[in-house]
């Protein structure tokens, strides 16, 4: 009976670990979808406009984006070699990585929010390995 | 066991998971609301 | 007898869960490598950018900073002191310059 109890506990721990690992895998899938979708979009856009956009109008991946209210006063100190920055803010801010920004742009077809049309789901599936498609349906 | 109180949150480019940024954002939000 | 049966059943379940967990671990490694290959492909690198408009559309009216830094750059956010409405970010790189861009639609 004691061994039963121990095994029950182990089973629950494994179930929880599997759940977390599945979420991590789904997150990686969204990352791949968003990136590939972005590349496709930019490729089509450049074909349409017959050239790349101006260099100073784009931001190359990877990056972080920091957003704060437009009323925030930001004080910035930079070392001469640009190896060190110090920012002081008088208001809250948020930091987002490039994957998060791509999701906000809709590059992952709304999959993270569970709002994805069947057409977009088919497109998303075409951007991931076939063996992992089932995890997209899971999302 | 008492651990040393955290004085700062860290994130490493190409090293930390996105969870670290979420922790930073939550901390700033909590402190701001307080 | 009931407990013995339950024990055997649990052992079988745990074996299945162990296999499932190993499968997930392998798939994660595989997918991480796949993402790395896709991002490092030279043609994909050429098209891996977003425009200022893309970002501004995501954050309505906010002041935005884009930060590009080498791998290993440390971003430190000290816990604000009680009662002080002051927030700090410290960026420190050991291998190359950090680039910060102010993006403001206005």
């Amino acid at each position: 009976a004691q061994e039963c109890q121990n095994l029950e506990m182990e089973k629950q721990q494994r179930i929880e670990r599997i759940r977390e690992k599945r979420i991590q895998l789904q997150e990686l899938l969204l990352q791949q979808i968003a990136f590939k979708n972005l590349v496709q979009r930019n490729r089509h856009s450049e074909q349409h406009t017959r050239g790349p956009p101006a260099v100073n109008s784009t931001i190359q991946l990877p990056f972080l984006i920091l957003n704060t209210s437009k009323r925030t006063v930001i004080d910035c100190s930079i070392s001469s070699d640009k190896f060190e920055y110090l920012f002081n803010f008088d208001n809250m801010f948020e930091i987002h990585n490039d994957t998060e920004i791509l999701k906000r742009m809709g590059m992952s077809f709304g999959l993270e929010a569970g709002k994805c049309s069947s057409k977009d789901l088919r497109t998303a599936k075409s951007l991931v390995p076939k063996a992992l498609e089932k995890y997209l349906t899971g999302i | 066991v008492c651990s040393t109180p955290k004085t700062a949150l860290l994130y490493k480019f190409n090293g930390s998971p996105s969870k670290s940024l979420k922790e930073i954002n939550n901390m700033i939000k909590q402190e701001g609301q307080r | 007898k009931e407990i013995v049966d339950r024990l055997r059943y649990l052992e079988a379940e745990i074996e299945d869960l162990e296999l499932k967990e190993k499968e997930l671990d392998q798939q994660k490694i595989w997918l991480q490598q796949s993402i790395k290959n896709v991002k490092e492909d030279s043609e994909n690198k050429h098209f891996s950018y977003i425009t200022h408009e893309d970002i501004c559309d995501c954050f309505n009216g906010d002041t935005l900073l884009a930060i590009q830094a080498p791998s290993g750059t440390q971003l430190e956010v000290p816990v604000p002191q009680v009662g002080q409405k002051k927030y700090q970010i410290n960026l420190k790189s050991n291998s190359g310059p950090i680039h910060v861009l102010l993006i403001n639609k206005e």
Side-chain angles (χ1 to χ4, degrees):
Chain A
Q2 181 62 45
E3 203 175 332
C4 248
Q5 218 178 12
N6 292 344
L7 287 181
E8 277 286 359
M9 255 174 54
E10 191 186 332
K11 178 185 152 187
Q12 289 313 313
Q13 284 169 356
R14 281 186 186 271
I15 287 173
E16 179 56 28
R17 270 206 312 271
I18 284 171
R19 193 190 70 85
E20 281 171 7
K21 288 181 179 184
R22 193 173 275 133
I23 291 173
Q24 285 170 13
L25 196 65
Q26 286 169 344
E27 184 55 40
L28 287 171
L29 283 171
L30 291 180
Q31 209 184 107
Q32 172 140 322
I33 290 166
F35 183 82
K36 281 185 167 180
N37 199 11
L38 175 75
V39 165
Q40 267 180 11
R41 180 203 77 162
N42 290 341
R43 188 181 281 122
H44 291 147
S45 172
E46 285 192 24
Q47 278 170 0
H48 187 69
T49 57
R50 292 189 192 172
V55 168
N56 58 3
S57 69
T58 61
I59 297 165
Q60 204 74 20
L61 269 65
F63 56 78
L64 292 184
I65 295 289
L66 183 148
N67 73 296
T68 184
S69 160
K70 61 184 177 188
R71 290 185 297 275
T72 304
V73 174
I74 308 172
D75 175 55
C76 178
S77 307
I78 311 171
S79 66
S80 53
D81 57 5
K82 289 194 173 180
F83 274 49
E84 202 166 335
Y85 283 65
L86 177 63
F87 292 97
N88 280 297
F89 300 81
D90 69 348
N91 208 342
M92 295 188 293
F93 58 80
E94 278 184 341
I95 310 175
H96 312 275
N97 63 15
D98 41 40
T99 305
E100 178 62 33
I101 299 298
L102 293 184
K103 283 182 195 172
R104 286 182 180 232
M105 285 166 57
M107 289 289 131
S108 53
F109 303 109
L111 276 164
E112 71 282 1
K115 296 173 185 172
C116 180
S117 68
S118 43
K119 182 185 168 211
D120 284 343
L121 182 60
R122 277 197 299 276
T123 312
K125 282 182 177 176
S126 70
L127 298 173
V128 303
K130 208 158 177 57
L132 304 180
E133 281 179 12
K134 60 184 178 185
Y135 294 107
L136 285 186
T137 322
I139 296 174
Chain B
V1 174
C2 297
S3 52
T4 312
K6 247 184 191 168
T7 55
L9 294 182
L10 296 174
Y11 171 85
K12 219 174 196 180
F13 279 70
N14 249 13
S16 297
S18 52
K19 197 174 75 167
S20 305
L21 286 178
K22 287 191 177 120
E23 281 172 9
I24 290 172
N25 292 338
N26 287 339
M27 185 267 287
I28 294 290
K29 199 174 178 183
Q30 272 172 18
E31 295 299 321
Q33 282 169 352
R34 196 191 301 183
Chain C
K1 188 186 181 294
E2 254 179 45
I3 292 179
V4 167
D5 285 343
R6 177 89 188 126
L7 203 64
R8 288 210 184 102
Y9 180 72
L10 277 171
E11 280 169 355
E13 272 194 319
I14 285 175
E15 213 176 292
D16 284 340
L17 288 172
E18 200 178 329
L19 283 171
K20 182 68 198 165
E21 196 174 346
K22 275 191 181 136
E23 188 191 29
L24 281 167
D25 286 337
Q26 273 191 316
Q27 285 170 339
K28 184 180 169 185
I29 292 169
W30 182 35
L31 192 50
Q32 280 172 331
Q33 188 57 45
S34 169
I35 290 173
K36 189 166 180 262
N37 293 344
V38 163
K39 286 190 172 181
E40 286 177 359
D41 174 76
S42 54
E43 203 188 318
N44 288 344
K45 262 190 175 175
H46 174 79
F47 294 111
S48 62
Y49 58 80
I50 60 172
T51 64
H52 293 185
E53 228 172 31
D54 287 332
I55 309 176
C56 291
D57 288 346
C58 295
F59 299 99
N60 196 15
D62 275 0
T63 294
L64 301 168
L65 295 172
I67 305 169
Q68 290 170 306
S71 278
T73 298
Q74 198 160 272
L75 185 150
E76 185 186 65
V77 179
V79 177
Q81 288 181 12
V82 176
Q84 279 201 351
K85 203 181 172 192
K86 213 170 83 174
Y87 310 91
Q88 258 187 5
I89 292 179
N90 193 5
L91 287 166
K92 221 180 269 185
S93 162
N94 291 324
S95 55
I98 301 167
H99 299 289
V100 178
L101 194 65
L102 174 65
I103 305 162
N104 191 310
K105 207 167 188 180
E106 283 87 39

